[in-house]
């Protein structure tokens, strides 16, 4: 059976389906990923064999490559949500885990570029957890 995954952006304009397995799943803490995600790290799935089909809104995707680097990002031009893209070098499919609506069947393989982590990152694992918003 083929692995299938589906996802969309926050505003719903861009929708996609992915068929095929993911090879790896990394949480990258580098300064570029922190900036482009606005958070502690990116959370990207990678696949060298999966195929992506754009179900709607493909023309709304904007792909950005940081000059002088291999750092790339793709996002919905209306809502800014991170969207899948193929790497310019090698064509590997990169899928932001948060863009998926279907269950992610693999667990992250590793935290990478951890030496570049935000100075507020240490100790996150021991933070109190609320199922919803705090009172
Ligand atoms: Zn959108
Ligand atoms: Zn990174």
């Amino acid at each position: 059976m083929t692995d299938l995954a589906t996802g969309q952006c926050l505003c719903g304009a861009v929708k996609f389906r992915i068929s095929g397995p993911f090879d790896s799943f990394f949480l990258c803490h580098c300064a570029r990923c922190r900036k482009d995600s606005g958070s502690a790290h990116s959370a990207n799935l990678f696949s060298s064999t999966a195929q992506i089909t754009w179900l709607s809104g493909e023309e709304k995707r904007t792909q950005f490559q940081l000059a002088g680097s291999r750092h790339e990002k793709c996002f919905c031009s209306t809502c800014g949500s991170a969207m899948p893209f193929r790497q310019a070098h090698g064509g590997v499919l990169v899928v932001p885990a948060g863009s998926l609506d279907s269950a992610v069947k693999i667990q992250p393989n590793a935290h990478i570029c951890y030496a570049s982590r935000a100075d507020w990152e240490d100790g996150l694992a021991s933070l109190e957890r609320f199922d919803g918003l705090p009172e």
Side-chain angles (χ1 to χ4, degrees):
M1 198 181 91
T2 310
D3 290 311
L4 275 180
T6 56
Q8 63 183 316
C9 65
L10 190 58
C11 77
V14 185
K15 292 186 167 72
F16 59 88
R17 180 176 57 221
I18 293 164
S19 60
F22 294 116
D23 309 324
S24 56
F25 185 2
F26 290 110
L27 310 178
C28 184
H29 297 251
C30 82
R32 291 163 177 168
C33 285
R34 287 191 286 113
K35 219 168 251 308
D36 101 13
S37 69
S39 190
H41 56 73
S42 61
N44 285 321
L45 295 144
F46 296 84
S47 178
S48 55
T49 56
Q51 298 299 314
I52 186 161
T53 304
W54 298 99
L55 304 174
S56 70
E58 184 176 4
E59 73 287 349
K60 290 219 158 210
R61 298 165 61 245
T62 298
Q63 193 152 344
F64 168 77
Q65 171 133 24
L66 184 63
S69 82
R70 290 189 175 190
H71 187 91
E72 294 169 86
K73 173 177 183 136
C74 178
F75 55 94
C76 169
S77 59
T78 296
C79 69
S81 301
M83 291 283 100
F85 62 93
R86 285 201 182 275
Q87 289 179 333
H89 295 270
V92 169
L93 182 67
V94 182
V95 181
S99 72
L100 293 173
D101 292 321
S102 53
V104 179
K105 292 173 186 163
I106 66 172
Q107 288 294 306
N109 295 101
H111 292 276
I112 61 174
C113 298
Y114 197 62
S116 300
R117 67 191 178 278
D119 49 13
W120 47 269
E121 169 96 36
D122 292 337
L124 286 185
S126 61
L127 277 186
E128 189 172 1
R129 277 145 211 263
F130 298 92
D131 284 339
L133 297 172
E135 295 287 306

